[in-house]
Amino acid sequence: MADEGVGSEGISKISDVLSGSLNGKRARVRGWAYRARASNNLAFIVIRDSSGIIQCAFKKDSVPADVFDKAKGIYVESSLWAEGTVREDSRAPGGFELTCDNIGVICLGEAFPIAKDQSTEFLLDTRHLWLRSQKLTNVMKARYYMLGLLREFFDKEGFFEVAPPIITKAGCEGGSTLFEVNYFGDKAYLTQSSQLYAEIYITALEKVYVLAPSFRAEPSRTVRHLAEYWHLEPEMAFYSNAMNMELQEKMIAYVANNLASRHSDIVKACGQDPAYLASIKAPFERIPYTKAIEIVNANGGKMAWGEDFGADEEALLTKGKSMPVFVHNFPKKIKSFYMRPDPENPETVLNSDMIAPFGHGEIIGGSERIWEYDYLLQRIREENLDVKNYQWYLDLRKYGSVPHSGFGLGIERLVKWMLNLDHIRDAIPFPRTINRVYP
Ligand code: 4AD
Ligand code: MG
């Protein structure tokens, strides 16, 4: 099967060929056949590698017969290398073509199962093959750049990245969405959020963040819910929720602006306008929960005080806006046990959700945390949580407790909004949803 293929000696990256620096010179590129078509006298293979795609042309009367036969026999997605002379050609994708006289087939394979116009379900079943598509390749590159920018941002802000456990006994966001794990005969859960553990670290490192998967046994079939998603969770000692919001908007603008300036080609290839991302500037509008309800209702919604926003309400709230907004001071009764009530309005908590525009909805949830022992114990009891699973969390309020705040950013929600994707499943390589855990 294999012709050649180990090592990189003598191989050019396709992006180097497309840069023009090899014009007129010989080059060998290696990768996968993105497109392949042949007539009696001419074979065209578009080869892709991780850096781009290039058209390779084989003319029957100018190459050895066995080379032409191999070129003609290539399937889409066969792996191969091709060698020839780089020529500028305005008709070729990328502006350069390789006029080839040699080819090596690494794995010819079989006819590729994915052709044009496949159903969404089929593409999800063949995700392990569909991930090679240009669309998903570009999204995964953009996602990687965004994660890099987030880490860069927190480095500059003096944060430490820390590692949480994934298996835990302490639920964070309510019992109904916990995935249970049989832990050597004992009952444990996959973490819903690393927040409670991030709160431990602030007593040593002050400003920390976790970037890890969170799990939600969420029975919702929506374009923005995953059962397993990547969660960025910063936690900061001595921060109020007002400071928390300032950090969030600064972070979002940093990622958006730098993604636009450093990776505009990828942003465009994903279907987003880099100018939009470049225009995102702090501060974002701050809307108290009560006012947000009025806006939703004025835009045609039907919400009563005490209800939570669904996707429709979030879309109504951001109608006509192109920047994210904060909704703050939610009713205590619909929020998690750890959120600190607002001393000026104790029926509400010192929290905020960041809502992205254009129907993308909530991307961040954050709050100031209760840091008084007695009150936290009371809230844990009120929510019928098993106190013994939270004893360590309560301990933090006994020994050197300090005011603190933090937030959780859903990475796939961020990617979906920033690249303007229709569905959250395309923001992660292997989406886990209520009816899918394959491949
Ligand atoms: O609002 P949530 O539930 O907040 C928390 O988990 C806090 N403990 C975070 C913290 O303060 N450290 O989740 C935070 C974010 C949401 O705003 C959303 O972006 C994302 O996590 N998220 C989901 N993303 C994809 N699929 C799901 N099922 C999600 N649930 C939440
Ligand atoms: Mg939330």
Side-chain angles (χ1 to χ4, degrees):
M1 169 177 101
D3 199 326
E4 263 166 65
V6 176
S8 291
E9 213 182 301
I11 303 284
S12 298
K13 292 311 281 184
I14 289 173
S15 55
D16 291 337
V17 177
L18 296 178
S19 74
S21 60
L22 298 172
N23 195 14
K25 301 203 176 98
R26 289 192 62 78
R28 180 185 282 199
V29 298
R30 181 182 56 197
W32 294 263
Y34 175 62
R35 275 199 284 269
R37 66 190 162 90
S39 64
N40 286 338
N41 302 315
L42 205 56
F44 281 114
I45 306 171
V46 177
I47 296 185
R48 63 169 177 81
D49 68 9
S50 59
S51 70
I53 60 173
I54 189 162
Q55 177 165 292
C56 300
F58 297 79
K59 283 199 191 98
K60 187 176 184 180
D61 52 12
S62 34
V63 303
D66 65 314
V67 168
F68 189 74
D69 287 345
K70 276 190 198 167
K72 234 181 124 169
I74 290 294
Y75 292 115
V76 166
E77 293 305 321
S78 296
S79 48
L80 74 162
W81 57 258
E83 190 176 327
T85 305
V86 179
R87 297 200 193 287
E88 202 160 356
D89 184 341
S90 58
R91 293 162 305 174
F96 288 88
E97 183 184 89
L98 206 56
T99 306
C100 293
D101 48 42
N102 203 359
I103 187 170
V105 180
I106 301 168
C107 171
L108 183 62
E110 301 175 18
F112 198 60
I114 303 177
K116 259 193 164 39
D117 303 325
Q118 303 279 10
S119 73
T120 304
E121 275 308 296
F122 182 81
L123 293 178
L124 286 166
D125 285 338
T126 52
R127 187 75 166 186
H128 51 299
L129 302 175
W130 181 234
L131 274 173
R132 309 173 181 196
S133 67
Q134 291 294 294
K135 177 182 169 181
L136 287 180
T137 299
N138 285 322
V139 172
M140 295 314 150
K141 280 184 183 174
R143 175 190 166 111
Y144 170 73
Y145 294 140
M146 284 185 213
L147 289 172
L149 288 167
L150 286 165
R151 287 202 158 98
E152 188 179 290
F153 174 81
F154 285 105
D155 274 355
K156 287 188 180 170
E157 295 285 328
F159 281 64
F160 292 92
E161 181 174 358
V162 296
I166 297 296
I167 302 172
T168 176
K169 286 181 88 72
C172 188
E173 300 299 324
S176 66
T177 62
L178 283 168
F179 274 112
E180 209 173 298
V181 174
N182 177 345
Y183 195 72
F184 306 109
D186 193 6
K187 196 195 282 185
Y189 307 100
L190 295 179
T191 192
Q192 288 170 312
S193 158
S194 301
Q195 173 197 321
L196 308 186
Y197 291 91
E199 287 184 59
I200 298 179
Y201 281 109
I202 60 153
T203 56
L205 301 174
E206 297 193 25
K207 294 198 289 185
V208 301
Y209 72 93
V210 167
L211 179 56
S214 282
F215 303 85
R216 305 279 167 110
E218 206 125 29
S220 4
R221 249 176 256 259
T222 76
V223 297
R224 56 193 199 153
H225 284 94
L226 293 166
E228 175 181 316
Y229 70 96
W230 283 78
H231 204 174
L232 180 105
E233 300 192 86
E235 193 71 30
M236 300 77 68
F238 313 112
Y239 264 54
S240 65
N241 199 50
M243 295 163 74
N244 195 12
M245 285 191 274
E246 280 166 23
L247 182 72
Q248 291 166 42
E249 61 197 0
K250 191 173 171 193
M251 169 192 78
I252 291 293
Y254 187 86
V255 173
N257 299 168
N258 284 294
L259 188 68
S261 62
R262 298 187 207 172
H263 304 290
S264 65
D265 288 356
I266 292 289
V267 170
K268 273 188 221 150
C270 292
Q272 178 61 288
D273 182 0
Y276 170 61
L277 296 180
S279 76
I280 291 168
K281 293 269 172 302
F284 301 157
E285 193 180 345
R286 284 145 170 77
I287 309 174
Y289 169 88
T290 305
K291 177 89 202 303
I293 300 260
E294 287 167 22
I295 297 174
V296 168
N297 290 342
N299 285 339
K302 273 203 188 74
M303 263 184 95
W305 202 92
E307 287 175 0
D308 211 346
F309 302 87
D312 294 343
E313 289 76 25
E314 288 175 354
L316 292 173
L317 177 68
T318 52
K319 200 169 158 186
K321 300 183 195 293
S322 61
M323 292 295 128
V325 301
F326 285 111
V327 179
H328 62 89
N329 280 84
F330 279 65
K332 185 177 106 185
K333 63 178 184 189
I334 58 168
K335 284 292 171 185
S336 297
F337 71 95
Y338 53 74
M339 291 189 184
R340 187 155 193 261
D342 186 343
E344 316 215 314
N345 185 1
E347 279 316 295
T348 72
V349 284
L350 292 166
N351 84 314
S352 49
D353 279 0
M354 188 189 290
I355 314 294
F358 308 119
H360 292 286
E362 179 193 336
I363 55 173
I364 294 179
S367 68
E368 209 168 306
R369 322 304 191 185
I370 297 171
W371 60 286
E372 305 87 345
Y373 181 88
D374 292 339
Y375 186 55
L376 184 61
L377 182 59
Q378 180 193 323
R379 288 294 292 126
I380 287 174
R381 287 192 173 133
E382 277 170 9
E383 297 291 320
N384 291 318
L385 299 169
D386 188 347
V387 176
K388 76 175 184 307
N389 292 334
Y390 296 86
Q391 203 53 62
W392 61 263
Y393 189 62
L394 282 158
D395 271 356
L396 303 177
R397 276 70 183 168
K398 260 192 202 164
Y399 309 108
S401 189
V402 296
H404 62 287
S405 297
F407 66 91
L409 164 70
I411 296 298
E412 291 77 19
R413 298 254 181 114
L414 177 76
V415 170
K416 178 178 180 286
W417 165 50
M418 286 205 175
L419 302 181
N420 199 24
L421 306 178
D422 295 334
H423 203 295
I424 195 167
R425 64 179 166 231
D426 286 338
I428 188 164
F430 303 101
R432 296 291 181 245
T433 51
I434 178 165
N435 48 8
R436 179 167 295 280
V437 60
Y438 176 94

